[in-house]
Amino acid sequence: EAATEPGGEDRESEVSDLRSLLPWDVGRVTESVRKTGRCLVLHEAPITGGFGGEVAATIGREAFEWLDAPVVRLGALDTPAPFAKVLEALYSPKDRLLPALRELLAY
C-alpha cells in the first residue's frame, strides 16, 4: 500500500518481496537498486539482529555505486514483542513505513 502512494510525488516505487531467506535473490534486489537508486529494507523482526541487516550489508557491498541515498532499515522496535493489541501497533513497523519511505524519496 505504501509503495503505491509515497506522498503524491511523481515517483514510482518497486517492491521486491523475498519469498525465501536462504537463498535470497540478491540479483533481483540489486537490479531494483540499479533502477531506483534507493532501498528501504522492511521486515517484521526487531531491527537489531534481524535479517534486514544482512540485506542492507549486501546491498551496500554489491550495489553501492547505484545508491543515491543510504539504505534505510525499518523493522519492529527493539523491545520484547507485546501481547496487548494496543501495543502491537506501536511495535510493528507498519505505521512508520510511509514516513520512512517519504523521507528516503526526499533524500
Side-chain angles (χ1 to χ4, degrees):
E1 293 172 19
T4 60
E5 70 153 292
E9 301 95 6
D10 291 333
R11 299 211 130 161
E12 293 183 26
S13 297
E14 184 170 295
V15 176
S16 295
D17 185 3
L18 299 179
R19 300 294 178 173
S20 69
L21 299 182
L22 284 175
W24 66 279
D25 197 348
V26 176
R28 180 177 180 181
V29 174
T30 55
E31 183 59 34
S32 179
V33 171
R34 272 187 198 204
K35 286 194 283 184
T36 63
R38 289 171 169 71
C39 182
L40 186 146
V41 179
L42 172 70
H43 58 86
E44 292 180 345
I47 266 296
T48 303
F51 190 75
E54 180 68 27
V55 174
T58 301
I59 291 165
R61 184 182 66 241
E62 301 291 329
F64 181 78
E65 64 253 37
W66 298 294
L67 286 170
D68 294 330
V71 176
V72 174
R73 291 173 52 204
L74 187 61
L77 299 177
D78 286 333
T79 62
F83 291 99
K85 199 71 164 161
V86 174
L87 295 177
E88 282 182 17
L90 294 173
Y91 177 76
S92 167
K94 184 178 179 182
D95 291 340
R96 294 177 278 126
L97 176 57
L98 195 53
L101 183 57
R102 285 183 179 143
E103 185 177 336
L104 177 61
L105 290 173
Y107 186 91

